[in-house]
Amino acid sequence: MIREGSRNVKESFEILLQGKSIIVEIDEQIVYDQLDEDESAIWSLLLASGYLKVKNINTYATDFGEWKQEYELELTNFEVGAMFRQMIRKWFSRSAGGYNDFIKALLLDDVKGMNAYMNKVVMATFSYFDTGKSPSEEAPERFYHGFVLGLMVELADRYVLTSNRESGFGRYDVMLEPRRPGDVGIIMEFKVQDSAEEKELLDTVDAALKQIKEKEYETVLIEKRISK
C-alpha cells in the first residue's frame, strides 16, 4: 500500500521517516478486504500492529454535529524507522541496480556520468504517459522530481533530504544538507525546456541557476555555515 499508494501517502510516510508526526483520522475497526479501497487505512493498520504510536488525540465537533477524532501519530521507535528505511532501499535495489552509479556521479560532481545514467534509464523505462508532451506542462517536472528523490534515498544516512521547502524568497525543489562536516550542500532545481524562450538546453540550465540565485535558496545552508 505504501509503495503503490498516492502521493499523499508517500509524503506522509516521508514525514514519519524524518522523525516527525502526522495527523490523520483513524478507523479502529479495520476491515482487511477494504484496505485497497481506502488507502488511509494504512495508518490504522500500522497503529494496530505497533509500528506507529499515538502522540496526541484531538476530539472536535464538525459543522454537521458529528464528533471526530484526529490522531497525531509517530513511529514507535528508532528500530521501526530503521526497518522501514531498509525496506524502502530494497524496493529501489530490486527495481534498478544502477542507483549507486548515479549517486557516485552526483557526489563527484560528474555531470557526464549523471547524464549517461539518466539517459539509460529514460530509454529503458520511461513512457510518454510519465513525461508528457508539452514543455508548459508541470507533470514532467514533477515526475523527474520524484524520480530523482527516489534515486537519492540511499543518501539518507549521509544527507538530510528535503523537498519543496521554503528558503530565501521561494521554495527549492530538492536540497541535500550534509550530516557531517566537510561535505558540501546540494541544491537541485528541475526545469522543463521552454522552446519559445530557450533555444538550447544550456539556456534552460542557465534559467534554473538564475532562479536559485535570485530566490536565494542557499539561505538555509548559509545560516548553518554549510558550503555549497
Side-chain angles (χ1 to χ4, degrees):
M1 289 182 67
I2 297 168
R3 185 177 60 221
E4 300 176 4
S6 70
R7 177 179 176 180
N8 289 335
V9 169
K10 291 182 174 66
E11 288 179 346
S12 296
F13 205 73
E14 180 183 0
I15 291 172
L16 290 171
L17 289 176
Q18 291 173 352
K20 301 176 183 178
S21 58
I22 61 173
I23 298 177
V24 296
E25 291 186 12
I26 292 293
D27 182 2
E28 296 183 0
Q29 306 299 320
I30 304 173
V31 180
Y32 287 94
D33 61 3
Q34 295 179 359
L35 287 175
D36 290 337
E37 301 173 10
D38 181 12
E39 66 178 16
S40 65
I42 186 65
W43 312 121
S44 302
L45 181 61
L46 291 174
L47 177 62
S49 54
Y51 293 108
L52 294 177
K53 63 181 179 181
V54 177
K55 185 176 181 180
N56 189 36
I57 301 177
N58 179 34
T59 303
Y60 63 95
T62 68
D63 294 336
F64 302 100
E66 299 176 338
W67 287 95
K68 291 279 189 178
Q69 282 190 323
E70 288 183 337
Y71 286 67
E72 184 178 2
L73 304 176
E74 59 185 9
L75 294 177
T76 306
N77 51 40
F78 175 83
E79 287 75 17
V80 169
M83 181 201 70
F84 279 122
R85 289 188 185 91
Q86 183 63 25
M87 178 181 70
I88 293 172
R89 289 190 185 103
K90 287 181 179 178
W91 292 344
F92 285 104
S93 64
R94 282 198 300 266
S95 61
Y99 289 160
N100 286 333
D101 293 335
F102 179 86
I103 292 173
K104 288 176 181 178
L106 171 68
L107 297 179
L108 292 172
D109 196 22
D110 179 7
V111 177
K112 186 177 180 180
M114 293 170 64
N115 189 52
Y117 176 85
M118 288 295 291
N119 283 335
K120 181 175 67 175
V121 173
V122 168
M123 294 297 293
T125 62
F126 286 13
S127 89
Y128 160 84
F129 295 102
D130 291 326
T131 57
K133 65 178 181 178
S134 171
S136 63
E137 290 179 345
E138 294 183 359
E141 186 175 310
R142 290 198 300 266
F143 178 81
Y144 282 100
H145 186 156
F147 176 73
V148 174
L149 273 177
L151 288 176
M152 296 187 297
V153 69
E154 293 181 34
L155 287 172
D157 293 336
R158 183 172 173 180
Y159 285 87
V160 177
L161 277 68
T162 52
S163 173
N164 286 320
R165 302 287 179 83
E166 291 184 358
S167 182
F169 299 100
R171 290 178 177 269
Y172 55 79
D173 281 341
V174 175
M175 180 179 289
L176 280 71
E177 179 185 328
R179 296 183 184 273
R180 63 190 190 190
D183 283 347
V184 298
I186 299 173
I187 300 171
M188 291 187 173
E189 181 68 25
F190 299 91
K191 287 289 185 187
V192 176
Q193 184 183 20
D194 183 352
S195 57
E197 300 290 335
E198 302 155 357
K199 301 304 181 183
E200 304 289 340
L201 283 175
L202 285 177
D203 297 330
T204 309
V205 173
D206 290 338
L209 292 173
K210 182 179 179 181
Q211 179 174 329
I212 291 174
K213 292 177 181 178
E214 289 183 347
K215 298 293 186 179
E216 298 183 12
Y217 291 155
E218 74 277 12
T219 299
V220 170
L221 298 176
I222 292 175
E223 289 176 349
K224 298 181 179 181
R225 299 182 180 180
I226 297 171
S227 60
K228 62 186 188 306

